[in-house]
Amino acid sequence: MTHIKLAIIGVGRWGVHLLRNFLAHPQVSVVAVVDNHPARLTAVQQQFELDENVLLTTDWQAIKQVPGVNAVAIATPATTHYALIKDALQQGYHVLAEKPLTLNSEECRELCQLADYQQLILMVDHTYLFHPAVERGQTVVQSGQLGALRYGYATRTHLGPVRQDVDALWDLAIHDIAIFNTWLGELPVKVQATGTVWLQENRSIEGTATENQGLADLVWVKLTYPDQFQAYIHLCWLNPDKQRRLGIVGSKGSLIFDEMSPASPLTLIYGEFSQQENFFIPVNQSQEALDIEKGEPLQKVCDRFVVSILQNTPSLVSSGWVGRELVEILSALTTSLQQGGKSITITNP
């Protein structure tokens, strides 16, 4: 195979960007676009001047009549992922799915096993793992430049969009958890979460045991890793101040990934203490904005999906199995959230 015929399922806020990238890829032909909202289909047809041969449909089943489809990219609400992905794999399609893979780790396992059995690529769009700043940051952290690692922190806030299918934990936390896991090269073994609901007290996450819990607008997360390194995450979709900041603090310095920084998204800040009698004096202080390769992370995601299909090489960075690990962590955090912040041990990440 040298060329891929692909269908896009869902062209909402994120699906439009997937469509844009795949239309521009030289080894992909977008042959179908599916969305429940006819107005969205009309909008993308006009925006991208889609060829008249591209099938525009509200019925997912209709793409099965399109000859030669090899792959699908799914950008629909998380509650729909399991059924869509399972059907797509059973049809013999390679799948790129928006995060999270599903809302249930056992469903994730089933899909990963099905993809392996069918010898198909199942990849999750964890876009941040393809961000040049995250890739460079992994090298810095694992080089030992920060000294002994002490703790991590992240803040992810904005004013909307407020989701109606998942809470702020499931919508936002997966990004920072994925980055911490990648930078540390480990998975958390214990998690805690507390949250507050203001806007949607009577909603719950379909497919999870969140009845009468409401959808949390504010969530505080604590992750504990095997060596007792701890990371703290602040998540909220009610803040007028938009923040996208993550850091790891070590004995010799800190590494900060700040998407909102106008200079560079990745900054290495050196500084440590010299003890003089009973006093601790800051020394060796300096700051360096790290050079980052240019490139759109989502474009790299799409290209990796194409390469995986053409070379039959699953993405180790963002495979379905990686997606399952993250869903397992989120599920444990949900249990903690329901139990008022109880510490939950993850025994089978």
Side-chain angles (χ1 to χ4, degrees), residues 158-166 171 199-200 215 217 237-238:
H158 55 190
L159 193 62
V162 177
R163 298 281 295 268
Q164 297 181 11
D165 58 333
V166 294
D171 184 34
L199 300 181
Q200 301 179 91
L215 297 182
D217 304 294
W237 53 31
L238 295 182

Side-chain angles (χ1 to χ4, degrees), residues 15 31 46 293:
V31 295
Q46 295 173 349
E293 292 181 6

Side-chain angles (χ1 to χ4, degrees), residues 36 40 74-82 84 98-100 163 165:
N36 288 336
R40 288 182 183 171
I74 296 175
T76 59
T79 52
T80 67
H81 284 189
Y82 172 71
L84 281 173
E98 187 182 11
K99 60 79 186 170
R163 298 281 295 268
D165 58 333

